[in-house]
Amino acid sequence: MLEEKNDNLSRNENETDGNVENNAVDTNQSPTDNLEQSASTEITEEPAEDNVVNPEESNSTDAVETKNQNAVDAIADSNAEESEDETLKERHAIPMQDYDTLSLEELVDELSNLVSNEKVLSAKDHIEEIKKSFLAKYNHLLEEKKEEFLAENQDPNEDFQYHSPLKTNFDKYYSIFRDAKNTHFKSLQTNLKSNLENRLAIVEELKELIDPQANIKDTLKHFNDLRDRWKNAGPIPKDKYNHVWNNFHFHVENFYDYLHLDREARDLDFKHNLEQKQKIVARVEELVNEADINKAFRELQDLHRIWKEDIGPVSREHRDDIWNKFSELTKQMHDKREVLFENQRGTEQENLEKKKEIIAQIEVLATEKVNAHSQWLAQIEKVEALRTAFFSAGKVPSDVNEETWSAFKTAVRNFNSFKNSFYKDIKKDQNDNLSKKTALVAKAKELQESTDFATTTPIMKQIQEEWKQIGHVPRKYSDKIWKEFKDACNHYFEKLKEQKNEENSEEVEAFDNKKTYLETLREFQLIGEHKADLDAIKLHIETWKNFGKVPFPRRHIEGKFNKILDALFEKLNLSKKDTEMMRFSNRMDHLSESNDTRKLDNEKIFIMRKIEEVQNEIFQLENNIQFFTNTRNAKKENSIVLEVRKNIAIHKETLTVWKEKLKQLRNLNVE
């Protein structure tokens, strides 16, 4: 960093080392003539670039290569614009996004963020890009909505209308930005005019400094005061920028070179200025190797502005060398930036090819005929995916941007027209569906007050199933007819629910009775006589059944009852088969009383599978026995054969139990 006077690295700009007009100095005139001619030069417009030279190059543009000068001029153009409004310098702090890749919602959010948190001119370019992307996408959406409306509405008296909260929010935030921008520019114009008059007055005072009779110390003090006033004079119109700066620098050069200044003071100032410019050159040498080219180029603009605006001239012996170094490094930076731009253009070309391919795919979909709503939904989903890919593909070269966007809109519009023609053809089907659903609504309303729940409930459920099987109706009737049907069905089933709640009071009473009886049963003891004890247990079971069903959420009490029975059966020493069958019988009776036909059917299927499994197992074991008994040398059955026969007997006993269960279950279904 430069630490001496005039050391300010925070500005942005680059231009030749104190440019001066060619027609401002005539080498055949005397110094005084030169000053008088410059003083009489009227500041009306910015001189042409070809007439701008560097006074440190001894009035010769030939000393600077054309390529170097082009790089310097590129920076000068940007600095001239930013000189008019210093807030433009801050725009670099906000990264420019590829707004074409954002959705409408994301664009509105980004606009809101910029308007709320950034200065007007800092966000100006970003907001205009957001506006362009938003309106392009919104207008495209509007066209699609209008096409859908026209496809579904044949009434010529019905006007198309579409309102989007996103558009409302966008207009609100953009209006805030536009008002702030107008206010800013109105204030800016007033300041620019005042600052220009102030700077012209400073130039006039600078002309008057050349007075050989004046005290040199007073003159130097006045000169330094003018330079300080110049630095703080504020921005001026960009079309006056170079001209006014050139005149100012011309008179500063004359002050140094043609007046009889104190040589020692002048040399010290030359030395200081040279050191400042050498530091700038050293910094630019570092910037040439900076990885972030855009960041480095912005700093180079700062250094050019400091070189031109804040640092005075150097001695003639160093002017050419120091300027040539600076301009050559500027060219290197400029070339690196051009390579970056070239790479970006290559990426844009790749994006163009991607978007062309996407457009081609949409064009193909606009010709693929499908004949079912579900198939069209799949086609629509494909197009939506392609639309998203198109918007996410990134920027394309600006010269083909409008053409590419137009081709995309045309492809999507053709697809929508093709799709809408299908839905026009199925309009008749939708009207037929409307008639069918209207009839179901009438039927549901007719039955909604019925109290014959046993008869009406299956009919209402059947009506609901029929409703599901009927296809779409015209959208304008869809919500209304669905509400009528839903209200009628809900009204009936609410009445059914109330009726069931009344019945549930009996189940609650049964639960209370069983809960009380369960406590009594816990105290029951067997007396040791098998038949009497078995009869007592059967009586308990019969009593329990007579209490009736309990509410569904409280069926756990049945499990507690079964646990007590299991314990009693254990003490009774019944055979395994008898115990198993009594438990099974009790459980099946419970399912039968609860009318749980689904569980009864599942139980039947389970038992049939178990019978089949046991039979297969017996068959396999009997085959194994055949293998051993047919062996020639087998004189007697060994332990393996005996074990197999034992397993066959066990499986046959098990099979008998399963068959008995199936028989009992079938008898239960018959009853």
Side-chain angles (χ1 to χ4, degrees):
M1 295 293 291
L2 305 179
E3 297 179 352
E4 293 129 53
K5 67 176 182 176
N6 298 327
D7 181 16
N8 181 2
L9 294 179
S10 64
R11 299 188 180 182
N12 304 344
E13 211 42 312
N14 28 23
E15 199 167 314
T16 54
D17 186 16
N19 293 336
V20 61
E21 297 175 292
N22 281 346
N23 63 359
V25 180
D26 186 344
T27 56
N28 294 323
Q29 295 175 319
S30 67
T32 305
D33 291 337
N34 289 336
L35 293 174
E36 290 174 353
Q37 179 178 342
S38 176
S40 65
T41 302
E42 181 180 359
I43 304 176
T44 57
E45 59 182 31
E46 185 177 356
E49 291 185 2
D50 291 341
N51 292 330
V52 179
V53 298
N54 191 328
E56 293 187 353
E57 294 172 344
S58 301
N59 298 322
S60 175
T61 59
D62 294 337
V64 180
E65 296 180 1
T66 302
K67 291 183 179 180
N68 292 18
Q69 188 61 40
N70 290 340
V72 171
D73 290 343
I75 296 179
D77 290 340
S78 178
N79 281 343
E81 180 182 1
E82 292 183 359
S83 70
E84 182 176 74
D85 188 352
E86 293 184 349
T87 60
L88 287 173
K89 302 171 189 176
E90 301 174 15
R91 64 185 172 183
H92 299 305
I94 307 174
M96 180 67 76
Q97 300 186 48
D98 186 356
Y99 294 110
D100 284 344
T101 64
L102 301 185
S103 66
L104 290 173
E105 292 83 356
E106 291 169 333
L107 288 170
V108 172
D109 290 342
E110 187 65 21
L111 175 63
S112 171
N113 177 56
L114 291 174
V115 170
S116 303
N117 301 315
E118 302 293 345
K119 295 182 179 179
V120 173
L121 267 294
S122 301
K124 175 178 175 293
D125 292 343
H126 300 71
I127 290 177
E128 293 304 329
E129 285 295 318
I130 289 174
K131 177 185 176 183
K132 183 173 69 174
S133 296
F134 181 90
L135 291 181
K137 293 183 179 181
Y138 181 77
N139 290 334
H140 186 52
L141 173 65
L142 207 60
E143 291 176 4
E144 291 185 349
K145 294 296 182 183
K146 187 172 183 179
E147 288 179 2
E148 292 178 4
F149 173 81
L150 294 176
E152 296 179 2
N153 295 271
Q154 305 300 322
D155 186 355
N157 297 321
E158 190 169 357
D159 295 330
F160 168 72
Q161 292 183 347
Y162 180 74
H163 301 287
S164 169
L166 286 174
K167 183 64 164 61
T168 302
N169 286 336
F170 176 85
D171 291 341
K172 179 182 71 173
Y173 294 128
Y174 189 81
S175 178
I176 295 172
F177 160 73
R178 185 179 59 245
D179 294 343
K181 182 180 69 172
N182 292 339
T183 301
H184 173 82
F185 279 118
K186 185 176 180 180
S187 173
L188 179 64
Q189 293 303 316
T190 302
N191 292 336
L192 291 175
K193 182 178 179 181
S194 174
N195 294 340
L196 177 61
E197 294 174 354
N198 188 18
R199 287 187 183 275
L200 293 177
I202 293 173
V203 171
E204 291 301 319
E205 286 188 54
L206 188 58
K207 295 178 186 178
E208 301 300 326
L209 284 181
I210 303 175
D211 183 3
Q213 304 303 322
N215 182 282
I216 188 65
K217 290 185 178 181
D218 292 340
T219 301
L220 282 173
K221 183 176 182 301
H222 192 182
F223 173 73
N224 289 330
D225 178 61
L226 289 176
R227 289 207 303 182
D228 290 339
R229 285 167 54 195
W230 182 269
K231 284 192 295 183
N232 298 319
I236 61 176
K238 63 182 178 182
D239 60 332
K240 307 294 184 184
Y241 175 77
N242 282 327
H243 188 74
V244 174
W245 273 105
N246 291 338
N247 275 344
F248 175 75
H249 280 247
F250 171 70
H251 291 295
V252 169
E253 295 287 349
N254 281 333
F255 184 80
Y256 276 98
D257 292 338
Y258 301 128
L259 296 183
H260 301 289
L261 297 176
D262 182 284
R263 181 174 297 275
E264 182 178 354
R266 184 191 65 180
D267 290 346
L268 285 174
D269 206 30
F270 279 164
K271 180 181 178 183
H272 169 76
N273 294 338
L274 178 62
E275 291 173 351
Q276 298 289 82
K277 292 186 175 182
Q278 286 173 336
K279 290 181 179 181
I280 289 179
V281 169
R283 177 55 185 159
V284 178
E285 287 176 339
E286 295 175 357
L287 292 178
V288 170
N289 299 317
E290 172 67 45
D292 189 339
I293 298 175
N294 285 327
K295 177 182 176 183
F297 195 80
R298 290 195 295 269
E299 185 173 345
L300 181 62
Q301 284 183 266
D302 294 340
L303 298 175
H304 268 266
R305 179 180 285 127
I306 294 170
W307 185 289
K308 174 182 177 181
E309 300 179 8
D310 292 346
I311 303 177
V314 299
S315 61
R316 290 185 178 275
E317 62 182 296
H318 296 296
R319 287 180 187 177
D320 287 348
D321 289 342
I322 194 70
W323 173 251
N324 288 341
K325 288 180 182 179
F326 188 43
S327 58
E328 172 58 28
L329 290 169
T330 297
K331 175 184 175 297
Q332 294 180 32
M333 285 291 300
H334 186 269
D335 290 345
K336 288 186 66 176
R337 193 164 181 248
E338 284 299 309
V339 171
L340 176 64
F341 287 160
E342 187 62 32
N343 291 336
Q344 290 176 347
R345 285 189 285 270
T347 301
E348 290 177 354
Q349 188 63 37
E350 293 178 2
N351 295 340
L352 175 62
E353 296 304 320
K354 292 178 184 177
K355 289 192 173 184
K356 284 182 177 179
E357 175 61 26
I358 291 170
I359 292 171
Q361 293 181 47
I362 296 176
E363 290 173 343
V364 170
L365 291 173
T367 61
E368 291 182 354
K369 188 173 182 179
V370 293
N371 298 311
H373 175 64
S374 59
Q375 294 174 330
W376 272 111
L377 290 179
Q379 295 291 88
I380 293 170
E381 186 175 344
K382 291 178 184 178
V383 172
E384 287 301 317
L386 290 171
R387 278 165 51 97
T388 301
F390 182 89
F391 290 129
S392 301
K395 291 185 177 180
V396 301
S398 57
D399 57 333
V400 295
N401 184 56
E402 290 299 326
E403 177 186 344
T404 306
W405 174 244
S406 177
F408 172 73
K409 288 198 298 181
T410 300
V412 175
R413 186 181 299 112
N414 290 341
F415 172 82
N416 288 333
S417 298
F418 191 50
K419 174 196 68 176
N420 292 337
S421 66
F422 166 79
Y423 286 104
K424 286 180 181 178
D425 293 338
I426 65 171
K427 201 73 172 180
K428 181 179 181 302
D429 293 338
Q430 290 188 348
N431 288 329
D432 291 343
N433 295 337
L434 177 62
S435 298
K436 293 176 182 178
K437 288 191 173 181
T438 302
L440 291 180
V441 169
K443 194 170 184 179
K445 287 183 176 180
E446 180 184 343
L447 296 173
Q448 66 180 353
E449 299 295 344
S450 173
T451 56
D452 185 0
F453 299 110
T455 303
T456 305
T457 300
I459 298 175
M460 290 295 285
K461 290 182 178 180
Q462 179 61 32
I463 290 175
Q464 291 178 323
E465 286 301 318
E466 290 180 16
W467 182 280
K468 294 177 183 178
Q469 301 305 318
I470 299 174
H472 295 284
V473 302
R475 183 181 298 178
K476 62 190 300 183
Y477 303 110
S478 178
D479 292 341
K480 178 176 178 295
I481 195 170
W482 165 245
K483 184 177 185 304
E484 291 179 4
F485 182 72
K486 182 178 67 173
D487 290 346
C489 291
N490 288 346
H491 180 79
Y492 171 78
F493 284 106
E494 284 295 327
K495 289 173 62 68
L496 177 63
K497 183 178 179 181
E498 292 175 1
Q499 186 267 342
K500 285 188 174 182
N501 288 339
E502 293 176 0
E503 293 179 352
N504 285 344
S505 61
E506 296 179 2
E507 294 180 358
V508 171
E509 182 181 358
F511 173 78
D512 293 337
N513 291 334
K514 286 188 175 184
K515 184 178 179 181
T516 302
Y517 191 74
L518 199 65
E519 296 302 322
T520 302
L521 191 59
R522 294 182 193 280
E523 305 298 327
F524 174 73
Q525 297 291 332
L526 299 176
I527 61 176
E529 294 183 8
H530 184 81
K531 185 176 184 308
D533 288 338
L534 181 59
D535 291 340
I537 292 175
K538 289 181 178 180
L539 181 60
H540 286 308
I541 293 175
E542 189 65 26
T543 303
W544 185 268
K545 288 181 183 179
N546 291 335
F547 286 134
K549 292 191 299 182
V550 300
F552 183 85
R554 303 183 181 183
R555 288 192 306 169
H556 61 275
I557 198 170
E558 302 294 340
K560 294 181 179 179
F561 177 68
N562 288 333
K563 285 184 179 180
I564 294 176
L565 288 183
D566 290 343
L568 293 175
F569 288 146
E570 289 290 337
K571 295 178 181 179
L572 199 57
N573 293 322
L574 289 175
S575 68
K576 182 178 180 181
K577 177 182 176 182
D578 291 340
T579 302
E580 183 70 21
M581 290 307 300
M582 290 191 70
R583 290 173 178 170
F584 178 77
S585 178
N586 181 57
R587 189 159 61 87
M588 290 303 101
D589 287 343
H590 173 69
L591 291 178
S592 178
E593 290 175 359
S594 63
N595 291 322
D596 197 338
T597 56
R598 183 179 61 85
K599 287 190 175 181
L600 287 171
D601 290 340
N602 290 341
E603 186 71 26
K604 182 177 179 181
I605 293 171
F606 173 74
I607 292 174
M608 292 174 68
R609 286 178 179 172
K610 295 301 293 185
I611 290 174
E612 184 179 0
E613 289 177 8
V614 175
Q615 286 177 334
N616 290 337
E617 187 67 25
I618 292 172
F619 178 74
Q620 182 63 44
L621 291 171
E622 288 178 342
N623 282 344
N624 293 342
I625 288 290
Q626 289 290 336
F627 173 77
F628 286 108
T629 57
N630 290 337
T631 303
R632 293 180 180 179
N633 297 327
K635 296 181 179 179
K636 62 178 181 178
E637 294 182 345
N638 57 27
S639 60
I640 296 177
V641 174
L642 293 175
E643 184 65 28
V644 171
R645 291 189 184 280
K646 181 179 179 181
N647 285 339
I648 291 174
I650 293 172
H651 279 78
K652 285 184 177 181
E653 183 179 350
T654 302
L655 180 62
T656 301
V657 174
W658 284 119
K659 286 182 176 181
E660 183 65 27
K661 286 182 178 180
L662 180 61
K663 180 180 178 181
Q664 187 177 123
L665 186 57
R666 284 174 174 167
N667 291 336
L668 189 63
N669 289 338
V670 170
E671 294 174 2

